[in-house]
């Protein structure tokens, strides 16, 4: 099974995680993260500070009909492979897997899966978060939202750079 | 033993190119691709670095001047690896310019 797959079609994350675990009896922890398409996107400046209450009230939020994901074929796979190598070295995880969708997606659909196996839960939680923080700011994907007001490219967030900086990695994106 | 020649070699005229230009494959993505109306092109350049190449492209004017202007936050890749403005160029390199990434 490849470690990185970029695809337009949906993925079965339960199956992906089960396959990753496979028959590896060293594994004591399997951690996975699935990112999904929201129906509302936060306004550009307030994303990090916005609360769930704001989402519920739907005040300044933009309705999203569809999300379109563009990527840089070749570099995308290469950069995620490099991220997984880093995670492997840093946390001593056994196996890792990233599936990322591109093309046109609807609210509720899954966009990305990150899954890792490790001996202990701490490593697996950390590796999963590390991989996502890296991917969000260093892998060449771009989101375009289609809203009733028209299409708009999603802005990168400084809060995502800060998330990566927690790991001691300073590679600003936004 | 050093041998000197009686005549110095003729100097190259100042107007001659310093060297053969580099052949570069350029790629643009997302809002930059849309703004330029170009996804990929071949470009010949004497620019020594990625940053110098960006300036050279911006000097083409029009949409290039607008979208590659210094105040625009753009990221760059050399042969599919993120790179900085001081990264040296090499011939037949694949160079990509794109806005900050927003995947995940």
């Amino acid at each position: 099974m490849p470690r990185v797959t970029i695809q337009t079609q949906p993925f079965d994350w339960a199956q992906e995680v089960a396959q990753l675990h496979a028959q590896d009896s060293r594994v004591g922890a399997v951690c996975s993260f699935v990112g999904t398409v929201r129906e509302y996107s936060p306004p550009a400046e307030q994303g990090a500070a916005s609360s769930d209450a704001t989402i519920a009230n739907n005040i300044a939020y933009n309705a999203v009909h569809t999300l379109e994901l563009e990527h840089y074929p070749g570099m995308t796979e290469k950069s995620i492979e490099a991220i997984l190598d880093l995670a492997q070295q840093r946390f001593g995880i056994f196996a890792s897997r990233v599936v990322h969708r591109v093309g046109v997606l609807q609210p509720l659909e899954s966009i990305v899966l990150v899954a890792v196996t490790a001996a202990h839960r701490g490593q697996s939680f950390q590796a999963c978060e590390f991989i996502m923080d890296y991917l969000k700011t260093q892998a060449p994907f771009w989101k375009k939202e289609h809203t009733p007001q028209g299409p708009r490219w999603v802005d990168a967030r400084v809060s995502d750079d800060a998330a990566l900086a927690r790991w001691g990695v300073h590679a600003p994106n936004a | 033993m050093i041998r000197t020649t009686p005549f110095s070699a003729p100097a190259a005229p100042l107007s001659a190119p310093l060297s053969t230009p580099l052949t570069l494959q350029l790629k643009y993505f997302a809002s930059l691709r849309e703004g330029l109306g170009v996804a990929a092109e071949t470009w010949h350049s004497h620019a020594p670095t990625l940053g110098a190449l960006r300036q050279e492209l911006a000097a083409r004017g029009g949409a290039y001047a607008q979208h590659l202007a210094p105040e625009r936050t753009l990221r760059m890749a050399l042969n599919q690896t993120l790179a900085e403005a001081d990264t040296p160029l090499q011939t037949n390199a694949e160079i990509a310019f794109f806005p900050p990434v927003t995947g995940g």
Side-chain angles (χ1 to χ4, degrees):
Chain A
M1 183 166 66
R3 291 199 301 177
V4 178
T5 305
I6 310 300
Q7 62 185 44
T8 53
Q9 68 272 29
F11 53 81
D12 179 341
W13 59 269
Q15 192 192 347
E16 292 285 352
V17 171
Q19 278 180 8
L20 189 70
H21 188 194
Q23 298 301 310
D24 190 344
S25 58
R26 299 171 302 168
V27 173
V30 181
C31 189
S32 65
F33 169 85
V34 176
T36 61
V37 184
R38 278 190 306 265
E39 194 174 10
Y40 292 94
S41 77
E45 300 300 322
Q46 299 162 24
S50 55
S51 67
D52 290 345
T54 319
I55 296 174
N57 295 333
N58 183 25
I59 296 165
Y61 276 59
N62 309 304
V64 177
H65 286 173
T66 57
L67 191 65
E68 205 178 327
L69 268 138
E70 177 173 334
H71 78 124
Y72 180 174
M75 179 173 169
T76 311
E77 293 84 347
K78 190 174 161 179
S79 62
I80 297 172
E81 288 281 356
I83 294 168
L84 296 181
D85 285 343
L86 283 176
Q88 205 113 16
Q89 288 158 19
R90 187 160 178 157
F91 303 103
I93 52 176
F94 296 134
S96 55
R97 174 93 172 116
V98 170
V99 183
H100 204 301
R101 291 180 64 196
V102 293
V104 177
L105 284 81
Q106 313 295 330
L108 298 175
E109 286 194 78
S110 299
I111 306 175
V112 59
L113 165 76
V114 174
V116 304
T117 64
H120 305 287
R121 72 180 185 285
Q123 302 164 276
S124 71
F125 278 127
Q126 287 195 313
C128 225
E129 207 168 2
F130 175 87
I131 292 165
M132 270 311 294
D133 289 343
Y134 235 105
L135 185 152
K136 293 235 25 136
T137 56
Q138 311 300 319
F141 294 98
W142 301 274
K143 289 193 184 107
K144 189 185 205 176
E145 293 173 344
H146 294 269
T147 74
Q149 292 78 38
R152 66 176 276 274
W153 289 98
V154 171
D155 290 319
R157 293 179 181 282
V158 173
S159 57
D160 288 329
D161 287 344
L164 184 61
R166 288 181 308 157
W167 304 100
V169 180
H170 299 278
N173 172 57
Chain B
M1 175 180 163
I2 297 167
R3 296 177 62 179
T4 54
T5 51
F7 304 105
S8 59
L14 288 173
S15 58
L18 297 169
S19 58
T20 313
L22 304 177
T23 299
L24 305 171
Q25 304 303 324
L26 307 183
K27 294 187 168 200
Y28 309 102
F29 291 93
S31 56
L32 181 61
R33 171 180 53 74
E34 286 185 348
L36 297 178
V38 179
E41 61 183 331
T42 301
W43 182 252
H44 301 285
S45 175
H46 285 99
T49 63
L50 264 180
L53 173 65
R54 176 176 171 173
Q55 286 176 6
E56 182 182 274
L57 292 168
R60 293 166 80 181
Y64 284 88
Q66 185 189 343
H67 293 281
L68 295 169
E71 64 270 19
R72 295 286 182 117
T73 303
L74 289 179
R75 301 191 80 184
M76 299 175 285
L78 173 72
N79 292 331
Q80 304 191 350
T81 300
L82 286 168
E84 301 302 322
D86 60 0
T87 303
L89 298 182
Q90 51 202 249
T91 200
N92 298 319
E94 179 176 306
I95 311 282
F97 294 92
F98 43 80
V101 301
T102 55

